[in-house]
Amino acid sequence: GSADNEGEAITGGYLFEIDERMGEEKKFLTTRGIPINVKDPKKPTDAQFEYVLQYFETAEAALYGTDFSDPSKGYGNYIDLLSFVHNYIIQELSRNVDGNMRLSNFLVKERGGRIAHSHVWDFDLALGNCDYISTSWQGYQIKNVRWYERMTQDPEFISLLKKEWQRLYSQLYKVEDHVRDMALLIDDAQKRNFKRWPILNQIVWPNPVAHGSYEAELEYMLKYLNERARWLNTEIMNM
């Protein structure tokens, strides 16, 4: 609230959106050009905004500093590595065009906490559904951009990534099961949808291809996910 202007109270909680359109009232670019919009509180006080600005500057300076992977002086004191590992896996696995710290990414800072990734959304340009990037399931989308390029030079980040990836990779078959369950659940709805908008044979920008049926689109997406996971598994384990 607006009374939380000092001590522990000023440290959180905040919600930020990374969005280069800079639509919020209070926003700033970090030194490295990350567009940070303060979403909550909607109208931060001057003291809160100043605190947030300084915190991001300190965190980013630590990330790009010479001691960046040092446990006592490094960026891990300001940035929650595990949340960034999880976000990295989700964005890279789906090869999400919007996952590169430019748009539609959300960060939080809880009271007394570090900068962390929170919920994910905006995956229309993912899983091979975008013709203006490579539609191949091979190749990195997120690894060499912005903060991630630096984080993936940190042995601690890589070791966490490998550990979390191994844990999740062994369970990825559940995702396919879930997708097929959901497809069954919305089967009547999808039929009504494509009766109302008969676009299954049309390429709607930026679709790379129109597969002609709901079933074929589903299979394309699942094949993409499985192949992408296989490719990433080799890559991550060799990092």
Side-chain angles (χ1 to χ4, degrees):
S2 57
D4 300 332
N5 286 311
E6 54 193 357
E8 180 77 354
I10 202 171
T11 66
Y14 299 99
L15 171 65
F16 309 102
E17 183 175 8
I18 297 175
D19 189 338
E20 61 189 12
R21 291 166 298 207
M22 304 298 258
E24 294 299 324
E25 196 175 309
K26 291 289 191 179
K27 65 259 182 175
F28 60 95
L29 281 176
T30 68
T31 304
R32 300 266 168 171
I34 311 285
I36 304 291
N37 294 257
V38 184
K39 294 283 279 185
D40 189 45
K42 202 87 184 147
K43 292 182 187 294
T45 65
D46 290 348
Q48 288 168 348
F49 189 63
E50 190 54 37
Y51 170 80
V52 161
L53 207 64
Q54 285 306 316
Y55 195 91
F56 269 90
E57 285 308 300
T58 308
E60 203 174 58
L63 178 60
Y64 288 94
T66 44
D67 296 321
F68 84 114
S69 59
D70 184 294
S72 61
K73 290 181 270 191
Y75 74 101
N77 294 299
Y78 308 99
I79 296 171
D80 182 333
L81 266 71
L82 189 58
S83 77
F84 273 76
V85 162
H86 287 158
N87 185 68
Y88 176 75
I89 289 172
I90 292 166
Q91 305 289 356
E92 194 73 91
L93 177 60
S94 61
R95 196 164 193 175
N96 183 17
V97 175
D98 290 330
N100 58 4
M101 297 193 78
R102 192 177 52 86
L103 287 169
S104 303
N105 279 215
F106 292 89
L107 301 172
V108 292
K109 187 186 178 305
E110 302 288 358
R111 187 163 292 185
R114 295 164 293 170
I115 296 167
H117 263 287
S118 59
H119 58 289
V120 294
W121 82 303
D122 207 354
F123 286 79
D124 55 327
L125 306 180
L127 292 167
N129 189 40
C130 186
D131 65 2
Y132 60 85
I133 62 151
S134 168
T135 53
S136 164
W137 48 69
Q138 301 186 349
Y140 287 113
Q141 185 69 20
I142 314 298
K143 178 177 179 278
N144 302 316
V145 298
R146 307 224 158 171
W147 285 8
Y148 285 109
E149 184 179 27
R150 184 65 167 159
M151 287 177 177
T152 49
Q153 295 168 27
D154 173 20
E156 176 64 15
F157 186 87
I158 295 298
S159 112
L160 258 180
L161 175 60
K162 287 182 174 179
K163 191 172 141 216
E164 287 303 291
W165 173 260
Q166 277 181 302
R167 184 175 67 81
L168 295 163
Y169 186 60
S170 64
Q171 301 175 46
L172 267 180
Y173 68 91
K174 293 179 187 171
V175 174
E176 181 162 340
D177 294 347
H178 178 69
V179 168
R180 293 193 186 282
D181 288 347
M182 288 297 110
L184 207 58
L185 195 64
I186 63 168
D187 195 51
D188 285 346
Q190 67 86 7
K191 282 174 190 154
R192 294 194 303 274
N193 181 78
F194 293 115
K195 201 171 170 180
R196 174 70 183 80
W197 293 283
I199 55 165
L200 282 167
N201 282 311
Q202 292 170 32
I203 288 181
V204 178
W205 183 88
N207 299 160
V209 63
H211 292 280
S213 75
Y214 182 70
E215 289 70 29
E217 293 288 353
L218 198 64
E219 294 310 318
Y220 170 78
M221 186 181 79
L222 286 170
K223 180 178 169 55
Y224 187 96
L225 182 65
N226 286 326
E227 296 289 352
R228 179 85 178 144
R230 224 194 321 269
W231 179 82
L232 259 182
N233 187 50
T234 307
E235 291 295 315
I236 288 175
M237 296 325 286
N238 287 329
M239 268 189 195

